[in-house]
Amino acid sequence: MARTPWSPLGAAALQVLCFSFVSQGLAQSCAANYPPSVPVAGDTATLGPVPAPDLDTSDPVHLIPAAKASLYYGSLDPEPSKKGGSGSVNMNLELNHNTVVLEYIDAVDSVKCTDESVIVAFKNAAGFETAMQSWSLEENLILITNHLGNCDAEFERGFFKVDQIVSNQSNLLITCNASKQPITQIAETCELAFSSLPAGKLGKRLTLDPSFSIPFSKALANDTVLVSEPPYLTVIADQAAFSSEITFSGYLYYDFWAFKLRELYFDIDAGFSADVAVSAHLAAAYNKSFAYNPSDLTYTLVNIPGIVQLGPGVAFGLEMDISASTAVDVAAGMSIAMPDGNVHVDLLNSVNTVATGWTPTYHPYANISAQAHVQADASATVTVEMALSFLGGLVDLSSGLTAKPGIANTFLLDAKLDTAHAKNTTATGAILDTHIGDNSCGEGVSWKSDFTFSLDAFATRSWSTTLVETGIPLWDLCYQF
């Protein structure tokens, strides 16, 4: 047996992650055209307005209109882990008029809205006077509500443009002539941070603290028939089990003045494992490649109504490339685990897309039942695709990473050799010689197996790049009689 040590992988990237133990042929190329996937409904974690962290609502500074506003959204589910994860989305807005966030003012007693007005009642005269003096200086004013009275829908904030105010000192009321506005009409820029960091600390970084966790596991029933072409070929999945744990965070910066997305990137931590065993019965010489995809992408969404939807879609499948010179039974499979993959995916600039980790552990095996020339490459795919829709489709993108670990087996055997139990010395005393780099096996039997791995990153309809492509010889054996 010969095995080359695995060296740490130093690059890779992005919004869609696709894992695959692939054939040698597939590992040699990467298609550049990644069409967007059609999502299937899945679990949704709805995030709604939450209090700003460490904000003193008694501070009168929050009564003074300002050009920027920071808003915070978090899980409203008492058990968020059951619906896609926990964490927060923090939003920084720079608006075209000075703004007051009413939920940040402890002096506000109540807020009521009509189609043409916002009526703010105050708890004390000091708050009323400060608001009246500062608000009256604004030719136009933006008020942001947080499910107060009837001002906005559940899980949403309301944005109102005010062009006139009238005060009632005896009742401590300020009545604002106002109309509800979409963010696209009142914002100049918008920053979204999909993380647990305060919006005030936003800044581009290679790795954000992950805040959303998406678990995924799936298994086929043993002996599932993958392909049947009687009388020539039957392929059965003896075992096919997949699991993954994905955590992610990210950053979006949109310029409304320029109608342009300035920045969009994600940091994704992913752990994957799979156990795949496939057996094939060939009744004659045959050559076949196939893919078995029992599931579509199912998106587990993080949703802020009216603002953004994001999340990874997960799917799995099986693939096999097989050819044989005569009738034969073939078995091939592998167990693999990659617990520590991290990727920073920059959707707008592929040069900034990098990956660390992705160090695999693996155990391949294969065997054939008769003298034959056989190529048997088994694969199992697990796909994770990050998708984002911002402000009803103003930005609608998906991206991802395709990681392809695989096993390619080539046999030329005179008798059955079960590679799962192959040793340097056989039970009968025959010698299994390692002959890496030497294609001659004389009159013996040979078996060659390679571990293949590639990492491809892409942004749908924008760019794709291969970051890592490598092959590691695992076995190159000669059985001498």
Side-chain angles (χ1 to χ4, degrees):
M1 177 181 72
R3 179 172 297 184
T4 301
W6 180 269
S7 59
L9 300 174
L14 191 100
Q15 206 214 23
V16 179
L17 290 156
C18 189
F19 255 80
S20 185
F21 322 70
V22 302
S23 69
Q24 191 174 35
L26 287 175
Q28 292 172 349
S29 65
C30 172
N33 182 23
Y34 291 88
S37 301
V38 177
V40 175
D43 289 336
T44 298
T46 298
L47 306 186
V50 296
D54 303 321
L55 185 139
D56 182 5
T57 58
S58 66
D59 191 334
V61 71
H62 302 300
L63 287 157
I64 310 301
K68 296 182 179 180
S70 296
L71 304 174
Y72 302 82
Y73 297 85
S75 175
L76 303 177
D77 194 311
E79 298 183 60
S81 61
K82 293 184 177 180
K83 290 190 176 181
S86 60
S88 63
V89 174
N90 306 330
M91 180 165 66
N92 271 355
L93 290 172
E94 186 173 355
L95 298 117
N96 52 23
H97 300 290
N98 285 340
T99 302
V100 173
V101 183
L102 294 177
E103 66 191 272
Y104 295 170
I105 304 171
D106 188 57
V108 170
D109 186 43
S110 67
V111 180
K112 296 181 180 179
C113 298
T114 69
D115 292 341
E116 298 179 348
S117 68
V118 177
I119 304 168
V120 184
F122 290 84
K123 298 177 182 177
N124 54 64
F128 169 81
E129 291 292 342
T130 302
M132 186 59 204
Q133 291 175 14
S134 60
W135 297 7
S136 63
L137 298 176
E138 304 293 333
E139 182 176 349
N140 287 284
L141 174 69
I142 304 296
L143 294 181
I144 300 177
T145 64
N146 178 8
H147 206 51
L148 300 170
N150 56 342
C151 295
D152 42 73
E154 189 178 11
F155 306 130
E156 298 186 31
R157 287 181 169 95
F159 299 84
F160 293 86
K161 183 179 179 180
V162 177
D163 55 24
Q164 184 180 3
I165 65 172
V166 177
S167 64
N168 185 327
Q169 187 171 13
S170 61
N171 293 325
L172 301 181
L173 293 177
I174 296 179
T175 301
C176 306
N177 187 51
S179 59
K180 198 168 188 178
Q181 300 287 317
I183 291 178
T184 53
Q185 297 298 314
I186 60 173
E188 294 184 355
T189 65
C190 177
E191 294 176 282
L192 288 178
F194 318 115
S195 72
S196 57
L197 300 177
K201 297 182 180 179
L202 286 179
K204 189 167 184 178
R205 59 192 69 79
L206 283 180
T207 303
L208 296 173
D209 291 336
S211 58
F212 297 98
S213 181
I214 308 295
F216 174 78
S217 62
K218 194 74 174 181
L220 291 180
N222 288 349
D223 302 325
T224 298
V225 176
L226 304 180
V227 61
S228 179
E229 297 182 0
Y232 301 105
L233 176 68
T234 302
V235 181
I236 294 173
D238 302 312
Q239 182 181 12
F242 315 86
S243 65
S244 64
E245 183 75 22
I246 305 154
T247 57
F248 68 94
S249 57
Y251 176 78
L252 176 151
Y253 177 77
Y254 191 86
D255 186 338
F256 291 94
W257 277 105
F259 298 102
K260 187 172 184 180
L261 183 65
R262 298 290 189 185
E263 293 188 65
L264 178 58
Y265 59 84
F266 291 94
D267 283 282
I268 304 169
D269 288 316
F272 292 90
S273 64
D275 293 286
V276 178
V278 179
S279 59
H281 174 73
L282 294 90
Y286 208 79
N287 190 329
K288 177 72 175 180
S289 297
F290 74 91
Y292 178 82
N293 297 299
S295 63
D296 297 316
L297 283 168
T298 301
Y299 280 87
T300 302
L301 292 172
V302 175
N303 177 40
I304 300 178
I307 305 293
V308 67
Q309 284 188 330
L310 69 153
V314 183
F316 78 96
L318 295 171
E319 296 176 1
M320 191 170 188
D321 285 1
I322 186 167
S323 64
S325 59
T326 188
V328 67
D329 291 327
V330 179
M334 91 184 295
S335 298
I336 187 168
M338 285 189 171
D340 58 355
N342 174 267
V343 59
H344 173 83
V345 178
D346 192 322
L347 278 76
L348 304 186
N349 190 346
S350 62
V351 175
N352 295 331
T353 295
V354 295
T356 57
W358 306 103
T359 303
T361 58
Y362 47 84
H363 175 68
Y365 60 91
N367 64 62
I368 64 175
S369 63
Q371 178 183 350
H373 187 186
V374 174
Q375 183 76 32
D377 305 326
S379 67
T381 63
V382 176
T383 302
V384 179
E385 179 169 318
M386 293 293 300
L388 177 143
S389 178
F390 174 62
L391 293 179
L394 183 65
V395 177
D396 194 352
L397 294 174
S398 65
S399 60
L401 175 73
T402 301
K404 296 182 177 180
I407 188 72
N409 299 292
T410 302
F411 302 86
L412 184 57
L413 305 179
D414 294 323
K416 181 175 180 179
L417 173 62
D418 185 342
T419 64
H421 303 94
K423 305 292 183 182
N424 281 350
T425 304
T426 69
T428 59
I431 303 300
L432 288 171
D433 294 326
T434 299
H435 60 288
I436 297 293
D438 179 5
N439 293 326
S440 174
C441 191
E443 296 181 356
V445 290
S446 67
W447 169 54
K448 183 178 180 180
S449 183
D450 295 319
F451 179 80
T452 60
F453 186 82
S454 65
L455 276 168
D456 303 319
F458 66 91
T460 302
R461 298 185 297 269
S462 181
W463 57 264
S464 64
T465 182
T466 298
L467 299 159
V468 176
E469 189 168 19
T470 187
I472 300 172
L474 298 178
W475 308 87
D476 195 352
L477 305 174
C478 183
Y479 180 95
Q480 299 288 351
F481 291 97

